[in-house]
Amino acid sequence: MLRGFKNFVMRGDIVTVAVGLIIALALSTLIKAFTDFIINPIIARAQGGHSMGLGWQLGRPGNKNTYLDLGSFLSAAVYFLIFMAVVYFLIVVPYKHVQGRRGVVVFAEPAALKTCPACLSEDLPAAAHKCRYCATDQPPAAPAAGGPVPGGPVPGGR
């Protein structure tokens, strides 16, 4: 039983996910500090005066429970955008590059889809010959823009 657990934990993809999560948590802490101590003071300063921040008081003045804090929301949005950009450029892009060198395609573009003219299902693969829902024959897929037309002249051909 312990050998099976060890084999499960030591699989390459589990280790990769664990390392990715650890890096994401560390980056999250760093970006949270950036938004709390740099972005938030800038947003609060934009409001000016001695207000509670960028936002509106919906109830009695000075009551923090009825204060609509737009500054905190903007800070959270900036945090999210920075965090996702960091994860993409420091984890996803290098991972795609490494896997591409190994011949593995990750995060590929979704396959082209077409709509069935009979039942109007919109999730048929472009190369499908029959509809998976109503079993009607499908017309041949249209060529991609700029691609050769079937039966037509081949660009640059002899």
Side-chain angles (χ1 to χ4, degrees):
M1 184 168 78
L2 291 176
R3 183 177 300 143
F5 179 72
K6 176 187 167 209
N7 291 339
F8 171 73
V9 170
M10 295 309 290
R11 286 184 11 203
D13 53 349
I14 297 292
V15 172
T16 302
V17 169
V19 168
L21 287 174
I22 291 168
I23 291 171
L25 288 172
L27 290 173
S28 174
T29 303
L30 179 65
I31 295 168
K32 179 81 171 125
F34 174 75
T35 56
D36 285 348
F37 301 118
I38 295 176
I39 300 297
N40 280 353
I42 292 171
I43 291 173
R45 181 66 181 134
Q47 179 69 23
H50 297 287
S51 69
M52 294 182 352
L54 185 61
W56 298 277
Q57 184 67 49
L58 299 177
R60 193 178 41 185
N63 185 356
K64 289 187 179 187
N65 293 332
T66 60
Y67 185 72
L68 186 64
D69 194 359
L70 185 60
S72 291
F73 177 75
L74 288 175
S75 177
V78 168
Y79 170 82
F80 175 77
L81 290 174
I82 292 172
F83 185 76
M84 293 311 292
V86 167
V87 166
Y88 180 76
F89 289 111
L90 293 183
I91 296 175
V92 173
V93 170
Y95 181 71
K96 283 175 63 174
H97 177 72
V98 169
Q99 291 297 78
R101 292 183 72 189
R102 296 176 62 205
V104 178
V105 177
V106 292
F107 306 117
E109 293 294 323
L113 300 176
K114 66 180 176 181
T115 301
C116 174
C119 69
L120 302 178
S121 299
E122 297 179 345
D123 60 344
L124 297 177
H129 297 289
K130 283 194 176 272
C131 177
R132 71 174 75 163
Y133 302 107
C134 66
T136 58
D137 289 329
Q138 297 296 304
V149 176
V154 177
R158 297 178 201 178

